[in-house]
Amino acid sequence: MTVLNAPAVLGELDEAQIRVDLAAAFRIAARMDLHESVSNHFSAAVSADGKKFLCNPKWRHFSLVRASELVLLDADDPSTMERPDAPDPSAWCIHGAIHQRIPTARAVLHCHPPYATALAGLADPTLPPIDQATARFWGRMVYDMEISGPPDDPAEGARVAGALVGHAAMMMGNHGVTVVGESVAHAFEELYYLERACRSVVLALGTGRPLRPMDDDLAASVSRMWARYTDQGVAHFAEQKTLLDRDDPSYRD
Ligand SMILES: [Zn+2]
């Protein structure tokens, strides 16, 4: 099972840069239609132990998020949720629990993108390895079909965080997806490819013709191949920020 690599720069990235990257992730996600209403949350750790993390302010549209307004929360200090701009309790329960338990999850992105959420509603939401995007998640994804309560229940947050340990992505049955990464850029690439993978499966199933998944060995080798291309995710994120800068650099404010 693939486990996240320990961040090479743990604790060395400054909060200002993480704010800019996380704000960019919201803007890019909105452009890609990965958002839903003014809900869903992305977070990024700013302390070496991962417990202090930034999160979007309550009910801010993804396309409007600015670096300076991201809320700094402490997974060990529930009183930080008493701030007037604190996110809703589901952010605290899920993201706080993950940051508390998985210090290598420097960024945690949770949303309800259209194709992934469509798959999450199926009796069998597993991703068959039918192309490179789907095979990327072979052995790296956990399918959590054990929802035991609403996402703003602390017990549910703890359960979700426990199930995510050792995985890069989680398909949350009847809900959506969560991905983690060693940086905002790495996590965003996981989210981007996860939605692409789910789109491939939904479109392929929609033809009504039989799927032709790779065999397990081939799927595993393609998944391992992706591990050699993590720099691609960093480059992709940088290019996306260049597009933001061309059109509206206010996410940096
Ligand atoms: Zn959700």
Side-chain angles (χ1 to χ4, degrees):
M1 189 65 67
T2 302
V3 178
L4 287 171
N5 294 327
V9 288
L10 189 68
E12 293 179 9
L13 287 175
D14 66 288
E15 181 180 325
Q17 184 59 53
I18 296 172
R19 282 182 177 273
V20 168
D21 282 353
L22 190 58
F26 287 109
R27 302 275 186 120
I28 300 164
R31 288 176 170 225
M32 293 180 175
D33 194 29
L34 304 178
H35 64 304
E36 182 178 81
S37 183
V38 290
S39 63
N40 295 167
H41 303 93
F42 292 174
S43 61
V46 296
S47 62
D49 65 5
K51 293 182 180 180
K52 291 185 175 62
F53 62 96
L54 298 166
C55 189
N56 37 323
K58 189 174 187 177
W59 296 339
R60 173 72 76 210
H61 195 275
F62 275 22
S63 67
L64 298 173
V65 172
R66 295 170 186 263
S68 60
E69 66 185 3
L70 294 169
V71 184
L72 182 60
L73 302 174
D74 184 342
D76 281 341
D77 181 9
S79 71
T80 57
M81 282 294 289
E82 294 169 7
R83 294 174 48 156
D85 58 351
D88 62 75
S90 67
W92 174 259
C93 290
I94 301 292
H95 291 251
I98 293 171
H99 284 297
Q100 196 156 43
R101 287 166 179 74
I102 313 177
T104 52
R106 305 303 293 176
V108 180
L109 312 184
H110 167 72
C111 56
H112 308 163
Y115 290 99
T117 306
L119 276 187
L122 300 183
D124 177 7
T126 53
L127 279 180
I130 58 171
D131 64 3
Q132 293 189 7
T134 48
R136 176 186 175 100
F137 296 95
W138 181 261
R140 305 175 64 242
M141 179 115 149
V142 59
Y143 296 87
D144 179 33
M145 310 302 286
E146 308 293 326
I147 294 177
S148 58
D152 59 355
D153 177 349
E156 177 66 1
R159 191 194 61 73
V160 167
L164 185 59
V165 171
H167 300 88
M170 171 182 276
M171 177 72 78
M172 308 167 80
N174 303 115
H175 186 171
V177 292
T178 296
V179 301
V180 299
E182 62 187 86
S183 70
V184 173
H186 288 94
F188 193 88
E189 192 74 342
E190 300 286 13
L191 179 61
Y192 168 82
Y193 269 110
L194 181 52
E195 178 67 351
R196 297 276 299 192
C198 292
R199 185 175 75 170
S200 292
V201 172
V202 169
L203 292 176
L205 289 172
T207 67
R209 294 160 65 179
L211 302 181
R212 193 170 75 95
M214 303 173 193
D215 63 39
D216 290 2
D217 288 344
L218 178 57
S221 68
V222 174
S223 181
R224 287 194 298 273
M225 174 203 75
W226 278 108
R228 300 193 294 273
Y229 285 85
T230 56
D231 288 351
Q232 176 186 302
V234 176
H236 182 204
F237 195 72
E239 289 288 275
Q240 290 289 344
K241 284 202 295 185
T242 300
L243 293 172
L244 290 180
D245 289 335
R246 182 192 65 187
D247 299 335
D248 179 7
S250 63
Y251 70 98
R252 295 180 176 275
D253 295 347

